Amino acid sequence: GGGRPGQRGAPSQRGEHETTDNAAPSFQTKLQALQSKFSVNISVPPRNQRGVDQLTVRGSPDAIEAFKTELATLQTIFESDKADREARNHQETLAIEERFLPRILNT
């Protein structure tokens, strides 16, 4: 469709496309959405800084509490997604007699 703001697939002000249902939004897009949704300012340490696991959130006490609730929900979802990915990516190596391989591969 057209280039109206907020429309899926429409270019944003920076020329990037917003997310679609089958594409994960970028980190920056999620961060901006959370800041907008809760009227808070979120400071994130640089990605190259190892061992840092803290965010700094500025805003009203109520907004920060609402953000913390959302963050806990997101963490639960992310852990569930991680467990699901790990379950679907289980791998085993099976020993098959060489004489059966052509039959298995040509079915």
Side-chain angles (χ1 to χ4, degrees):
R4 294 186 310 234
Q7 181 180 0
R8 289 180 187 260
S12 68
Q13 291 176 347
R14 294 186 316 196
E16 298 169 350
H17 287 279
E18 294 182 11
T19 61
T20 59
D21 290 341
N22 59 358
S26 71
F27 174 78
Q28 192 63 32
T29 302
K30 287 180 185 178
L31 180 66
Q32 290 169 340
L34 289 169
Q35 289 182 121
S36 177
K37 180 176 181 179
F38 295 101
S39 298
V40 295
N41 183 298
I42 304 169
S43 298
V44 181
R47 286 183 185 228
N48 61 356
Q49 200 171 0
R50 296 266 182 215
V52 178
D53 59 355
Q54 297 178 339
L55 300 174
T56 302
V57 184
R58 289 185 177 85
S60 72
D62 290 342
I64 291 174
E65 284 304 312
F67 169 76
K68 287 167 47 178
T69 300
E70 177 84 0
L71 187 60
T73 300
L74 288 172
Q75 287 176 319
T76 301
I77 292 168
F78 296 154
E79 287 299 321
S80 174
D81 289 350
K82 179 182 176 186
D84 184 55
R85 266 192 321 279
E86 288 173 355
R88 286 185 281 121
N89 288 315
H90 177 77
Q91 177 178 319
E92 288 187 37
T93 301
L94 305 175
I96 305 292
E97 288 186 45
E98 188 175 339
R99 64 188 173 125
F100 294 128
L101 284 177
R103 287 183 172 165
I104 293 170
L105 299 175
N106 290 324
T107 57

